[in-house]
Amino acid sequence: MSCPETPREPASTPRPPAPSDSLPALSTGVRAAPALARGRGPVKAVAAGAGALGAAVAAWATWTGALAPMPAARGAAPLVAGALRERAPQLAPERVTLTVDDEDVEPGTLDEQRRRLFGRMRRELSLADEAMRQVEAIFAASAVLGQGNPALSRHPMSRSECRRVRTLSGIEPAREPTCGAPGMVPLFDPTRGQTAESASVCIDQLEFPNIPCEYPVVHVRAREAALLCRAIGKRICDAHEWEGACAGALREPDVEYEWERPRNEASWHHNLLRERVWSYGPEKNHALCGTESSRTPGCPGGGWDRCGSNTYPSGAFPACRSSLGVFDLHGNVAEHMSLPILPGELARSGDKGFTEMKGSWFAFSSMDVHADDCRWRAPDWHGTRLMSKASHANYHLGFRCCKDVEPP
């Protein structure tokens, strides 16, 4: 069975950039932030940014029952007023200087995009040199692995807007002693009296690279996702672990898989009996998550040359969070996971399972083509072994990692 978003091979393959141990300065050929690049004046760009910020934080405030006037939205008023004064012939125009966040200026090439990503991974994740060498080698072996085609991708929210949303909402990356790594949370089943301290597995709060307000990595094959997780001391997650992180209760594998059934039959039976919940609650609400971006005009369903990865920064929607503290399980990017068919194929035993796609992506509010509740399992779309070199990749497909821990 084919996925609603069918991948296409790139018409022209860009040259894979070589790995780099340092973060060089960006070249002068960078693109401006999307709002500026589309011909909006600087005043309109800032006003639009305030609108995106207001929408994201309003969703959070509505979710928490504490909706209040937004300082950021009010801050845009003097800029708009300045624009009106500039139009009046009897008044001299005011000089307005805008300070653009350096990280809001998008690189113009995949090489530059990767170099900046690697630099931020070094700073934010404190990865050892050997881990970064492995990460860069995996990227270098692909012609398209990154944060989207820089020539096509138009992000609806900037990194600086995301940081303001998180600051206003008081969100900080988790630092759970059980997990031993920042930005990870333990998975357990509170309905059975389990606690974070007794957890045997943790999951990234955000999509890879698991850095707040960074755009997720896309055009990644399931094999590459598994290798990247291993390179940084983690592993790919099993389908039931993602589902438990989303629904707020991690169940035992023997409850979540029907080992004696063929895959399609087992998934159909699982879906028939599943509880229908979303990470944020019992009712579906696209507005709470990063689902209201758009596809590139003319995008045929996949491909580097035709489809931009118009993603949001990870963790930019405070209300799009599960009770266990995991963000963006709906919207932004769909995610590679491993689906074991036999007990020995669980990811803790190695990358032996089959590919599984979880969640939904950035344009899902306008193309709601399948269920995206927590415990729904996809049909056998692009069904290969996880480590197959032909495993699926696409412009809206990313991943996140898990990590086994020893409970005390």
Side-chain angles (χ1 to χ4, degrees):
M1 181 175 180
S2 63
C3 173
E5 293 283 293
T6 304
R8 305 288 179 88
E9 290 300 320
S12 58
T13 303
R15 175 183 61 82
S20 168
D21 291 329
S22 62
L23 179 65
L26 297 177
S27 78
T28 56
V30 298
R31 283 191 295 108
L36 299 177
R38 290 181 189 139
R40 303 177 186 174
V43 171
K44 290 184 180 179
V46 175
L53 169 65
V57 184
W60 164 258
T62 302
W63 185 63
T64 57
L67 186 61
M70 292 308 307
R74 291 198 302 268
L79 293 169
V80 176
L84 294 176
R85 284 195 295 270
E86 287 180 5
R87 294 180 186 175
Q90 68 274 23
L91 297 176
E94 293 183 359
R95 298 180 66 86
V96 178
T97 301
L98 296 179
T99 302
V100 179
D101 189 320
D102 289 343
E103 291 189 354
D104 288 346
V105 179
E106 291 300 308
T109 69
L110 182 63
D111 191 357
E112 291 173 332
Q113 182 194 91
R114 289 177 174 181
R115 289 171 187 268
R116 186 167 71 176
L117 174 63
F118 297 154
R120 194 165 185 206
M121 289 178 68
R122 288 189 190 91
R123 295 193 303 272
E124 301 284 340
L125 303 179
S126 301
L127 295 175
D129 290 344
E130 176 57 30
M132 280 306 306
R133 278 193 288 271
Q134 293 182 39
V135 167
E136 294 186 19
I138 295 167
F139 274 77
S142 168
V144 294
L145 180 57
Q147 293 166 294
N149 186 340
L152 296 177
S153 298
R154 297 293 181 265
H155 302 294
M157 181 185 290
S158 67
R159 294 175 177 87
S160 60
E161 289 170 353
C162 172
R163 285 194 290 271
R164 286 194 289 271
V165 169
R166 290 175 64 88
T167 298
L168 288 170
S169 302
I171 299 173
E172 294 287 344
R175 296 189 178 275
E176 292 281 352
T178 301
C179 299
M184 300 195 81
V185 293
L187 298 181
F188 57 96
D189 188 353
T191 67
R192 298 173 56 210
Q194 297 176 356
T195 64
E197 290 72 23
S198 64
S200 61
V201 62
C202 293
I203 191 171
D204 285 345
Q205 287 188 289
L206 307 172
E207 303 133 330
F208 189 89
N210 195 33
I211 296 174
C213 298
E214 191 55 71
Y215 298 111
V217 167
V218 291
H219 289 290
V220 57
R221 296 190 183 279
R223 173 186 175 85
E224 294 164 337
L227 291 173
L228 285 167
C229 288
R230 295 288 179 188
I232 61 173
K234 302 178 184 180
R235 62 166 172 81
I236 200 76
C237 304
D238 282 319
H240 79 287
E241 292 169 334
W242 189 99
E243 293 162 5
C246 183
L250 176 66
R251 297 171 180 163
E252 294 299 319
D254 288 344
V255 174
E256 293 289 61
Y257 301 105
E258 301 188 41
W259 302 122
E260 298 183 2
R261 294 179 184 264
R263 173 177 177 169
N264 281 344
E265 181 181 334
S267 294
W268 180 88
H269 193 256
H270 171 92
N271 287 342
L272 181 67
L273 300 177
R274 78 188 190 279
E275 62 173 340
R276 287 171 171 80
V277 296
W278 287 261
S279 63
Y280 45 78
E283 299 294 332
K284 187 168 191 170
N285 186 349
H286 281 309
L288 297 180
C289 298
T291 64
E292 297 185 349
S293 185
S294 59
R295 280 206 304 181
T296 304
C299 170
W304 169 266
D305 290 338
R306 300 286 297 278
C307 300
S309 298
N310 303 332
T311 51
Y312 295 87
S314 292
F317 292 83
C320 194
R321 176 168 63 171
S322 76
S323 60
L324 294 181
V326 187
F327 293 82
D328 298 331
L329 294 159
H330 318 282
N332 219 16
V333 292
E335 301 176 24
H336 283 297
M337 295 291 139
S338 176
L339 183 72
I341 302 300
L342 299 171
E345 294 174 356
L346 287 163
R348 65 191 180 204
S349 302
D351 302 316
K352 303 174 182 178
F354 287 80
T355 58
E356 167 79 357
M357 185 195 77
K358 308 301 292 184
S360 50
W361 57 92
F362 55 81
F364 211 63
S365 62
S366 61
M367 46 182 302
D368 194 337
V369 293
H370 60 71
D372 76 334
D373 56 276
C374 290
R375 297 197 187 274
W376 182 77
R377 287 187 189 162
D380 191 3
W381 290 335
H382 312 286
T384 66
R385 283 286 181 180
L386 186 75
M387 298 305 289
S388 168
K389 292 183 179 180
S391 56
H392 182 45
N394 214 337
Y395 73 103
H396 61 71
L397 185 54
F399 69 105
R400 74 178 75 211
C401 302
C402 284
K403 179 183 178 183
D404 294 307
V405 296
E406 291 295 331

